Amino acid sequence: MSQETTYLELSESDGGAHKFYEVVVDDTTLTVSYGRIGDQGQVKTTGYPDNARARAAAAKKIGEKVRKGYAPAVRGVRQKRSVSRRQIVSTRSTARTAPVLWRYNSGAPAFGIFIDGRTCMVGNERGVITTLDHDARVLDQVRLPDGVKCIVADDAWIYAGCDDGNVYDLSGKIPRVAYAIAPDIDIYWLDIHDGVLGVSDADGGIAAIDHEDEFLWRRGGRGKSAWMVRCDTDAVYHGDSTGVSRYDWRTGQEQWHIRTGSVLFGWQERDAVFAGTATREVVRIGKNGRAAQTYRADAPVFSCATAEDGRYVFAGDSQSSIYCFAADGTRLWKLGTGCGSAYSMQYHDQRLYVVTTSGQLACIDASEPAIRAAEEGNVPDVVDVKAPTRMPEPAAVTQVEVVADASNGVMVECVEEGGRLRVHVLSTGYHRDWSVQFPKGIREPGARYLVTDVREAGRGGFYRAYGDIRRLR
């Protein structure tokens, strides 16, 4: 029996939706692919008892999309829209070189960085995320379908936001799509807290998305080019071309706005947010809306970070220099990276980690003796770490292992509720009426899965799947 394929697109000339939807019926199997035009997208395959039921299910799905404005199209005629990527004309620093202990060349400009007590992660424009230990040994590599915008943590979960509009959960052996951002949003930055995702975009907009990938709210900002979003228990902090605003995470109501000049990066501590600006400053703003301090650099600031509670403030500029300031605004030192301008940075245990325009993840000794020696021209020999010779294959984000043994893991079930697929826990000791944040690309009605662990989210009322996922036969 031959395949029946229906390919649809929805593309709006004003820069809004630009997405495809493809339905393939092959005997008793129905395969649905969807996503942004030009991307691989997500794939769902479902089996039916016979061809008639598979065709009926396909007709229902196609009808729903046509009513939403999709129309028949030819794949490849419309091209993928360009992705906004940060561009810096990075010049060489005139300052003395910082005490770089080691640097890893990821092979492409890098934006994503995540550092904890065990590992260091870098994600680059090619979608490759490399995990190293603090002694620069490569531990793991994974390749996502598109460039990595940022890597963020939320309790035990680590997520990567990508140029394909998806946010991937990296907690298991295989990355899974945790959030699929609306195709008309050109993502600039992401942050997440207790399962609520904050998204800032090219048009200066800001949105909050819950654990089931549904908008809590979405609104325009005061300016354009929103490179900053940070989330905490109470609010979402958003920086665009005009300044920094605070929004209530439940309602999206603006609570305050501080004009700072164009914001190029954002950081937060418990009681304050920090905005790196095109006006050559890092601005510290209390979460009560009061501007508290400025830290003056010599060029536009494209990244910033702090030591615990803002005891030290670090900045990276467009001229490959990095700075350290005391909390009161006093500049303590300025040194050059020697490997490009820092797109992102993070401080951990007297070391400053930066990812740069040249694709390097560099580990800098930020201890006082090392800095003093560097200011006198004495720096350690740099250990250069090269990327593995072969780029990893793209991760199979929609594939799932099928097993028969249900004894090892937490059992969950996928059910249809109100036209959407939800996941609930079947194992004892859990709330049966709570939903589970679960990857979108592998959900099938009636299917049961084994998850390494299921944990209650900080805000309560739902669980999050953690670790590896297998489907029960």
Side-chain angles (χ1 to χ4, degrees):
M1 186 174 292
S2 62
Q3 288 186 352
E4 298 179 27
T5 301
T6 303
Y7 180 79
L8 307 172
E9 289 183 347
L10 175 61
S11 183
E12 298 170 348
S13 59
D14 62 357
H18 193 63
K19 48 191 177 180
F20 75 91
Y21 193 85
E22 184 179 63
V23 178
V24 179
V25 177
D26 186 0
D27 196 10
T28 61
T29 300
L30 172 62
T31 301
V32 175
S33 306
Y34 60 95
R36 299 180 185 220
I37 294 172
D39 289 339
Q40 179 180 351
Q42 298 186 58
V43 180
K44 293 183 180 180
T45 300
T46 307
Y48 290 88
D50 52 52
N51 176 255
R53 297 189 192 185
R55 293 178 64 189
K60 180 180 178 182
K61 293 180 180 295
I62 293 167
E64 291 172 349
K65 291 301 177 182
V66 170
R67 286 191 291 274
K68 291 181 179 180
Y70 283 76
V74 177
R75 183 186 288 272
V77 174
R78 288 192 178 97
Q79 298 300 306
K80 180 177 180 179
R81 283 181 179 163
S82 60
V83 174
S84 296
R85 288 197 171 115
R86 174 161 288 180
Q87 298 294 330
I88 297 178
V89 179
S90 179
T91 58
R92 189 175 181 85
S93 176
T94 58
R96 289 187 180 271
T97 303
V100 178
L101 299 177
W102 55 262
R103 57 193 175 203
Y104 167 78
N105 187 354
S106 75
F111 302 90
I113 185 172
F114 174 74
I115 311 294
D116 63 12
R118 189 179 66 88
T119 60
C120 312
M121 300 177 72
V122 53
N124 67 19
E125 278 189 359
R126 294 179 181 170
V128 177
I129 296 178
T130 307
T131 303
L132 305 92
D133 65 17
H134 287 274
D135 294 321
R137 291 185 289 261
V138 176
L139 303 177
D140 189 31
Q141 251 193 346
V142 65
R143 184 179 169 193
L144 298 178
D146 212 332
V148 176
K149 270 285 200 294
C150 55
I151 305 173
V152 295
D154 189 21
D155 196 11
W157 291 264
I158 301 175
Y159 298 92
C162 292
D163 285 329
D164 64 358
N166 293 324
V167 180
Y168 294 86
D169 176 5
L170 305 179
S171 65
K173 293 178 183 177
I174 299 174
R176 304 291 188 188
V177 177
Y179 302 84
I181 311 304
D184 60 313
I185 293 181
D186 188 355
I187 301 168
Y188 266 22
W189 209 256
L190 304 161
D191 197 18
I192 187 169
H193 184 81
D194 282 351
V196 175
L197 182 73
V199 182
S200 60
D201 62 45
D203 292 330
I206 178 69
I209 300 170
D210 72 5
H211 68 283
E212 279 288 3
D213 203 21
E214 298 175 2
F215 281 100
L216 293 173
W217 49 266
R218 180 180 176 185
R219 58 170 296 164
R222 291 172 175 257
K224 297 289 184 180
S225 303
W227 282 111
M228 171 186 173
V229 60
R230 294 290 173 179
C231 306
D232 65 14
T233 302
D234 302 312
V236 178
Y237 303 89
H238 175 247
D240 58 22
S241 59
T242 65
V244 179
S245 299
R246 168 177 162 137
Y247 298 97
D248 182 275
W249 76 266
R250 299 170 185 83
T251 66
Q253 180 180 359
E254 185 182 83
Q255 297 177 329
W256 52 253
H257 176 78
I258 302 292
R259 299 190 68 84
T260 62
S262 185
V263 177
L264 305 178
F265 197 84
W267 186 262
Q268 75 167 328
E269 288 292 341
R270 181 182 58 188
D271 298 320
V273 290
F274 298 78
T277 71
T279 52
R280 305 185 178 190
E281 292 179 333
V282 177
V283 181
R284 176 175 182 155
I285 304 170
K287 290 187 174 178
N288 58 6
R290 297 177 183 174
Q293 189 58 259
T294 58
Y295 307 87
R296 186 71 179 174
D298 300 324
V301 175
F302 278 85
S303 59
C304 58
T306 67
E308 297 78 5
D309 293 325
R311 182 166 51 96
Y312 298 112
V313 177
F314 301 94
D317 71 14
S318 62
Q319 297 178 352
S320 303
S321 295
I322 51 176
Y323 305 77
C324 178
F325 303 90
D328 65 1
T330 303
R331 183 191 291 187
L332 301 178
W333 50 264
K334 172 187 176 183
L335 295 167
T337 67
C339 56
S341 297
Y343 272 136
S344 299
M345 59 172 54
Q346 193 172 334
Y347 177 83
H348 178 79
D349 194 20
Q350 296 196 80
R351 292 182 174 185
L352 183 65
Y353 297 82
V354 300
V355 290
T356 71
T357 49
S358 66
Q360 303 277 353
L361 166 61
C363 172
I364 298 165
D365 188 343
S367 66
E368 186 172 347
I371 295 299
R372 295 293 166 258
E375 290 180 319
E376 295 174 0
N378 299 316
V379 294
D381 292 332
V382 181
V383 176
D384 278 305
V385 183
K386 294 184 179 180
T389 54
R390 293 186 62 183
M391 183 180 293
E393 294 297 318
V397 297
T398 59
Q399 293 184 10
V400 60
E401 180 186 2
V402 179
V403 297
D405 183 8
S407 62
N408 187 18
V410 181
M411 186 185 300
V412 302
E413 182 178 33
C414 183
V415 297
E416 188 168 352
E417 295 179 355
R420 292 181 64 95
L421 293 178
R422 308 288 189 186
V423 176
H424 298 284
V425 187
L426 294 181
S427 298
T428 59
Y430 297 88
H431 296 279
R432 296 292 182 91
D433 57 335
W434 286 16
S435 63
V436 180
Q437 185 184 59
F438 194 82
K440 306 298 180 294
I442 61 175
R443 295 187 186 194
E444 293 185 23
R448 294 185 175 185
Y449 304 86
L450 286 178
V451 180
T452 301
D453 196 6
V454 172
R455 305 180 188 180
E456 181 178 349
R459 296 186 194 275
F462 71 95
Y463 297 110
R464 298 162 86 177
Y466 177 79
D468 296 323
I469 299 171
R470 294 161 294 164
R471 179 175 174 174
L472 280 171
R473 186 173 286 119

